Amino acid sequence: MTAPTAPTVTSLMSAIRDVGTDPTRGGYSRPVFSTPELDLREWFLAEAAARGLDCETDRNGIIWAWWNPAGHPLTDAVVTGSHLDSVPGGGAFDGPLGVASALVAVDHLAARGIHPRRALALTVFPEEEGSHFGCACLGSLLLTGAMDPAVAAALTDDGGTTFGELCALHGLDTARMGRDEEALGRIGRFVELHVEQGRGLIDMGSPVAVASSIIGHGRWRVTFTGQGNHAGTTVLADRRDPMIPASRTVLDVRRIAGLHRGARATVGRLVPTPGGTNVIASRVDLWLDVRHPDDAVTARIVHEISEAASEAALLEGCEVAVVQESLSGSVDFDPVLRDRLCADLPGVPILPTGAGHDAGVLAAHVPTAMLFVRNPSGVSHSPAEHVEDADAERGAEALADVLADLLAAD
């Protein structure tokens, strides 16, 4: 294998810093199969090829890059990777840090003269953020069979294009998507490195942590319908304005979540139709994100918010519908693998996370673990997201330490 000279995570991240910048929101907007995300996929394939890795894209749109110098069977492999798509106006590190670190970890392994006893694969999962079609971790959900391919194909973006149509433009057939026993059978252990999306490591004074669990979370679309009309000629008493119950519901989301210890509930997007300044909306859609360590509490919160939305709609002569778009239960990572990572990295803290990841989807099917790298801003899904260069390099070294152990195991 031929590796680039003195590779670093910092240099790889610098190479993609201009891809998908968002001049309106700030940060990066890299939705799946957009030009920026496709450019990043090509960047990854080029970097993998430069390292002599054998690359393939499977029927669910997941990229696999294999390092297998001894020609081991592609079963019981050690797998690591992350994603390249982003939320609208997201930070530079959410997703790409894990991909760049995986590439550099391979360089570390090669420099150490590692002779693996099994194959290693680097993966890139599509639509992890769900920013294009509203379903987070879509690639891993399809891989594991947790998402019906027909349902996935029918998902529609804001422009009316379905996921199936967009896949077809890029050589993927949604009729062939779905649970992939062969691909799952290749994975012996999966380890995902990710920027920490909170401030746990700031307070603990550590550059790296091992994940313990992921808090359960879901997304719901709440649609209020009323009567569109003229803003100047329609007196207040005659209005059926869906913006009013939508606004009340946004406030109720915060109030209701505050009644449940440990809950997080957010409305990050609200879209009126038709959206004119001098037009009373005929419809308002808002998207609700709810998270809690106890899945039963998550369900209770959504029920209470739905009831509050119904009451608010009734007061204004409007109607409301609440539709679940995605739901992932709380995940505890494999304790044996977690403890092994802790043994490989003595003294690192163990942290839960409230953010969803492909590793959380895979955890129900294969032994899975995660590493977090410190984010000194404590802010994520925002241009303020950050990782210091030294911490990024330490994260890649930690990943290499873990992979070296797992690749050497009998």
Side-chain angles (χ1 to χ4, degrees):
M1 182 185 73
T2 303
T5 303
T8 64
V9 177
T10 303
S11 63
L12 288 178
M13 295 296 293
S14 294
I16 61 173
R17 64 186 173 192
D18 294 329
V19 179
T21 54
D22 191 322
T24 301
R25 302 180 180 94
Y28 297 86
S29 293
R30 299 160 167 168
V32 70
F33 295 140
S34 65
T35 297
E37 198 259 1
L38 291 169
D39 287 346
L40 290 183
R41 289 166 75 92
E42 290 300 319
W43 162 81
F44 171 76
L45 290 170
E47 289 292 340
R51 290 160 173 79
L53 308 187
D54 295 323
C55 298
E56 59 178 315
T57 300
D58 70 15
R59 55 191 172 91
N60 290 308
I62 301 165
I63 299 175
W64 301 74
W66 291 93
W67 184 56
N68 192 18
H72 296 294
L74 301 185
T75 56
D76 194 31
V78 177
V79 182
T80 186
S82 194
H83 62 97
L84 293 170
D85 64 309
S86 78
V87 298
F93 298 91
D94 182 355
L97 179 69
V99 175
S101 297
L103 290 164
V104 171
V106 169
D107 296 330
H108 285 308
L109 295 175
R112 296 177 192 180
I114 297 293
H115 299 288
R117 297 184 180 181
R118 53 180 48 81
L120 170 68
L122 314 188
T123 55
V124 174
F125 289 92
E127 185 69 337
E128 193 269 357
E129 296 292 3
S131 63
H132 199 159
F133 291 96
C135 182
C137 298
L138 185 54
S140 53
L141 288 172
L142 287 166
L143 168 67
T144 58
M147 166 66 80
D148 184 333
V151 173
L155 294 172
T156 305
D157 67 12
D158 291 341
T161 301
T162 67
F163 179 65
E165 291 167 342
L166 192 57
C167 283
L169 290 175
H170 299 287
L172 296 171
D173 181 1
T174 51
R176 298 186 61 248
M177 288 182 170
R179 184 174 173 89
D180 190 333
E181 295 289 355
E182 180 182 359
L184 283 172
R186 295 173 174 179
I187 306 173
R189 298 173 183 85
F190 181 81
V191 180
E192 180 174 1
L193 180 146
H194 205 278
V195 62
E196 190 202 358
Q197 295 176 285
R199 57 171 300 109
L201 285 171
I202 302 173
D203 298 334
M204 293 177 173
S206 174
V208 178
V210 173
S212 60
S213 58
I214 295 177
I215 294 173
H217 64 282
R219 298 180 184 184
W220 290 261
R221 181 172 183 156
V222 185
T223 300
F224 294 90
T225 53
Q227 183 178 64
N229 215 327
H230 195 291
T233 62
T234 311
V235 299
L236 297 182
D238 291 341
R239 297 186 179 197
R240 294 171 49 222
D241 183 353
M243 186 63 77
I244 305 304
S247 301
R248 287 177 175 154
T249 299
V250 172
L251 298 176
D252 284 333
V253 166
R254 178 64 175 267
R255 175 184 62 80
I256 291 168
L259 301 175
H260 299 272
R261 184 179 178 85
R264 289 95 180 226
T266 307
V267 175
R269 184 179 173 210
L270 186 150
V271 178
T273 302
T277 303
N278 59 345
V279 181
I280 300 168
S282 59
R283 165 176 168 162
V284 175
D285 292 284
L286 63 84
W287 282 262
L288 171 66
D289 181 302
V290 180
R291 307 177 188 229
H292 192 276
D294 185 334
D295 296 340
V297 176
T298 298
R300 190 178 314 135
I301 292 169
V302 174
H303 175 71
E304 292 173 3
I305 291 171
S306 298
E307 286 195 328
S310 294
E311 292 174 5
L314 184 63
L315 287 172
E316 297 297 325
C318 296
E319 297 178 348
V320 63
V322 180
V323 177
Q324 177 183 300
E325 291 194 337
S326 66
L327 181 63
S328 301
S330 294
V331 173
D332 291 316
F333 288 114
D334 184 86
V336 174
L337 185 55
R338 178 201 64 210
D339 291 347
R340 187 162 187 166
L341 265 62
C342 289
D344 292 334
L345 306 170
V348 300
I350 299 175
L351 286 177
T353 180
H357 303 281
D358 291 303
V361 176
L362 294 176
H365 305 271
V366 297
T368 304
M370 287 192 72
L371 294 174
F372 293 129
V373 176
R374 178 167 52 195
N375 173 357
S377 71
V379 176
S380 189
H381 282 187
S382 160
E385 178 183 274
H386 184 62
V387 173
E388 296 290 343
D389 292 351
D391 287 353
E393 305 310 331
R394 177 64 193 117
E397 291 169 4
L399 180 60
D401 292 342
V402 166
L403 296 178
D405 176 33
L406 296 177
L407 289 168
D410 293 326

